[in-house]
Amino acid sequence: MDLIYERNLQPMKLAILKGTRQDQAVIALAARLGISRQQMRKILINGCDMMILENLGPRLEAADAIAAGDRIADALSLPHLTAATGLLPPDAATEFRRRADSGTPVPELLAEILEAIT
């Protein structure tokens, strides 16, 4: 018996991410992280459930609004990776923020964040 939770949902998740609004969100998030759209899709497929992917556009818009008032959170895309997608645990985001506040260069932190979410 093939139960729904035993199926490979990757093709369904990819189909969701090819939607117009979701694709725009993927492109925007990939640009924030400095990676390709395909890499971002792979990260999202592996790290998010289908409900998050279906609502990716509005979730990232909300994260943009949160990040607009916080220079460090915006530079590291912390609201996008925590609240919007759930790819980065809040405690890890707090640690990255602390390190940014203490002077660690943003490009170095972004590389570490990318490692953490892949």
Side-chain angles (χ1 to χ4, degrees):
M1 178 184 233
D2 190 22
L3 300 174
I4 187 73
Y5 59 85
E6 292 177 340
R7 291 185 192 159
N8 180 358
L9 299 177
Q10 288 183 344
M12 292 171 70
K13 288 180 177 183
L14 180 59
I16 291 169
L17 290 177
K18 287 184 177 180
T20 303
R21 193 151 186 210
Q22 289 85 354
D23 191 46
Q24 291 171 350
V26 169
I27 291 168
L29 193 51
R32 286 182 148 280
L33 297 175
I35 59 176
S36 72
R37 177 182 359 186
Q38 291 77 14
Q39 288 174 303
M40 192 71 245
R41 281 181 179 167
K42 183 178 179 181
I43 290 168
L44 290 168
I45 287 170
N46 291 332
C48 297
D49 64 25
M50 289 177 34
M51 187 169 56
I52 288 175
L53 298 179
E54 288 173 350
N55 296 304
L56 192 59
R59 293 174 75 91
L60 288 182
E61 287 173 6
D64 285 340
I66 294 168
D70 187 344
R71 184 181 58 80
I72 292 173
D74 186 43
L76 297 176
S77 299
L78 296 178
H80 304 84
L81 298 173
T82 55
T85 61
L87 293 170
L88 190 67
D91 59 329
T94 302
E95 178 60 22
F96 283 118
R97 179 179 193 71
R98 184 195 61 74
R99 291 179 54 206
D101 287 338
S102 69
T104 305
V106 169
E108 181 182 321
L109 291 173
L110 279 174
E112 290 180 35
I113 288 170
L114 196 53
E115 274 185 48
I117 64 173
T118 53

